[in-house]
Amino acid sequence: MRQYSASRRTAPDPSMPPVMVDPRADAWEHQELEKVKLRFEKLNNIIVEWEADKKNKAKQQLQRIEAELEEKRARALQHYNEEITRIESISGEARAQEEDNMKREEQKVKEKANQLRYTGRLPEQTCFIC
């Protein structure tokens, strides 16, 4: 069995027995750790790229949806304005017709009042049922 000198012993983990320092083992360990580090850096870069791509796609989808909603809102607003214009047109025509009817009835009342003044008697009521 080999004897270990106290100056060459390292104990990285207190639960592990002391081991001899070997430069080849240190070089291999360093090499393997570099490989692991490079592999995980590449994997991390892939994850970062994937994350950026997904975020970009999500942002584009949000912008597309917002644009569609803005278009839909504009169409709804245009439809509303057209409907208001139509309603105002119909109510304006109804008011004008009602005003004409009122003027006609006022004219009839004035004619009957003039006839009453001229003849001194009320005009006869025409009743089709009687």
Side-chain angles (χ1 to χ4, degrees), residues 24-51:
R24 291 180 303 161
D26 289 342
W28 178 86
E29 179 184 20
H30 180 70
Q31 218 175 19
E32 291 300 312
L33 289 174
E34 279 298 314
K35 286 180 187 178
V36 168
K37 182 180 174 183
L38 288 174
R39 187 172 66 236
F40 282 98
E41 283 177 1
K42 287 179 184 178
L43 183 59
N44 189 41
N45 288 338
I46 290 171
I47 291 170
V48 167
E49 288 175 15
W50 177 85
E51 179 184 21

Side-chain angles (χ1 to χ4, degrees), residues 85-98:
T85 302
R86 185 183 71 80
I87 290 169
E88 288 173 349
S89 172
I90 291 171
S91 65
E93 290 172 7
R95 279 190 199 102
Q97 187 177 7
E98 186 61 30

Side-chain angles (χ1 to χ4, degrees), residues 101-115 123:
N101 289 342
M102 187 177 78
K103 285 180 183 178
R104 251 185 270 128
E105 287 187 27
E106 286 175 352
Q107 186 63 31
K108 285 180 186 178
V109 169
K110 287 180 182 180
E111 287 175 3
K112 289 181 182 182
N114 283 338
Q115 186 180 11

